[in-house]
Amino acid sequence: MLRWLRAGVLTTVAVTALLYLVVANGAEEQIAAAGRTTTAIWHIGAAYDQAGAADTALKAVSRTGAIDLIGTSGDFANATARVSSHLTSATEGNAAGEQGLSHIQFVQGQLTTCVQSANTAILDGRPGLDRARDALDDEPEYDGGNPVPFTGGLKQSLMDLKALEADARDRQRSSGWRDPALLRSLFLGPLAVMLLLAGVTGRLIVHRFRRYPGPALVLAPLATASISIPMCTMNPPNVAIALPVLAAAGALGYLAYRPRLAEYRFPPSAPRARGGHTPGASTPRA
């Protein structure tokens, strides 16, 4: 029974290592894609900040009342140029498919409209400046108390675009080889079997050998759990960490059974009676 239990423990460690390699290989592309989407979301957030800087620049020009003389200022031009640059960079990490691309193009169109309105404000005066600020700050339309995405100004549309990409990233992270339900069944199942085998082994050692289980029998499941449990999260362990830990778990599982198997195979020799006779041996007749 000890040999079968040891084989079961080593098999669960080997299965965990194999599953890790398969899942890590399949999830690598998804993790990389989610990383690109995270970068795109950062660029959209940076574009929102620059849109706020452009709005601040227009407010400063509006307070002077001399837009026909000083124009929209270099701060506005620099801020809108950075908004365009960030939107272009966000396109590379788009995770929302055709819908995401169409909305990015829509936001770029809003930016172009805002810049054109600001440029015409030099001729139109305050009305043109107000149109440019409205293109930045317009509130969204509402449907039953809920705002309708991409119906507001540039700043609101950037927020809607950021939320759209964030939802797409969440779906990206929880699909395929990163599906939490799939990962839990793949990694927690073998771990539960290993814990059961370790528990049966401990009971057998206590009741049949009158010994306490060695620390290796406890450390082997713990080492396996340190890889299996993180694999069910969004931050799986690196291969340079996972494989050595699982190799150590296999070695500990092997060493946990070795003393008891040696004791069973080579039991202590029975004490001999006085006179050199083994107890229970027949005495030769005279």
Side-chain angles (χ1 to χ4, degrees):
M1 183 178 289
L2 283 176
R3 291 190 182 94
W4 280 105
L5 290 170
R6 181 178 65 179
V9 168
L10 296 180
T11 300
T12 55
V13 175
V15 167
T16 302
L18 180 61
L19 288 173
Y20 172 84
L21 292 175
V22 172
V23 172
N25 183 64
E28 183 178 357
E29 179 59 29
Q30 288 179 266
I31 294 173
R36 291 192 295 270
T37 306
T38 300
T39 302
I41 292 172
W42 180 87
H43 279 294
I44 295 171
Y48 176 84
D49 294 337
Q50 292 303 318
D55 188 29
T56 302
L58 288 183
K59 287 179 182 178
V61 172
S62 178
R63 284 194 296 267
T64 64
I67 188 174
D68 55 336
L69 298 176
I70 63 175
T72 56
S73 77
D75 291 341
F76 174 80
N78 292 334
T80 52
R82 285 192 286 265
V83 171
S84 178
S85 176
H86 284 302
L87 285 173
T88 301
S89 299
T91 306
E92 299 175 3
N94 169 52
E98 293 296 330
Q99 182 185 20
L101 287 176
S102 64
H103 284 310
I104 290 175
Q105 292 171 355
F106 172 77
V107 174
Q108 288 174 330
Q110 283 186 303
L111 175 63
T112 301
T113 301
C114 176
V115 172
Q116 290 174 347
S117 298
N119 291 335
T120 58
I122 299 175
L123 300 176
D124 297 343
R126 183 172 292 278
L129 188 63
D130 291 340
R131 287 194 299 271
R133 294 192 59 192
D134 288 342
L136 284 168
D137 289 332
D138 262 354
E139 293 292 328
E141 298 179 3
Y142 286 83
D143 181 15
N146 297 319
V148 180
F150 300 100
T151 57
L154 176 63
K155 293 169 63 177
Q156 181 63 45
S157 293
L158 285 169
M159 294 178 62
D160 295 336
L161 181 62
K162 185 176 181 180
L164 178 69
E165 294 293 342
D167 290 341
R169 181 187 58 183
D170 292 340
R171 293 192 299 270
Q172 211 172 27
R173 286 177 168 178
S174 61
S175 63
W177 290 110
R178 300 309 304 159
D179 183 359
L182 174 64
L183 294 176
R184 283 193 292 267
S185 63
L186 286 178
F187 287 95
L188 297 186
L191 179 61
V193 173
M194 187 176 185
L195 291 173
L196 177 63
L197 294 174
V200 172
T201 301
R203 181 179 178 85
L204 184 64
I205 291 174
V206 169
H207 289 277
R208 296 295 298 271
F209 289 88
R210 300 295 190 268
R211 300 280 197 279
Y212 288 110
L217 189 63
V218 179
L219 293 176
L222 289 178
T224 306
S226 69
I227 301 301
S228 297
I229 293 176
M231 282 300 295
C232 300
T233 66
M234 294 298 177
N235 298 307
N238 189 274
V239 64
I241 298 174
L243 293 185
V245 171
L246 290 174
L252 288 169
Y254 178 82
L255 294 175
Y257 291 86
R258 187 175 182 182
R260 302 287 78 83
L261 287 172
E263 182 180 343
Y264 182 76
R265 185 176 181 182
F266 305 107
S269 58
R272 299 177 65 86
R274 293 181 181 178
H277 295 293
T278 301
S282 60
T283 304
R285 296 183 179 182

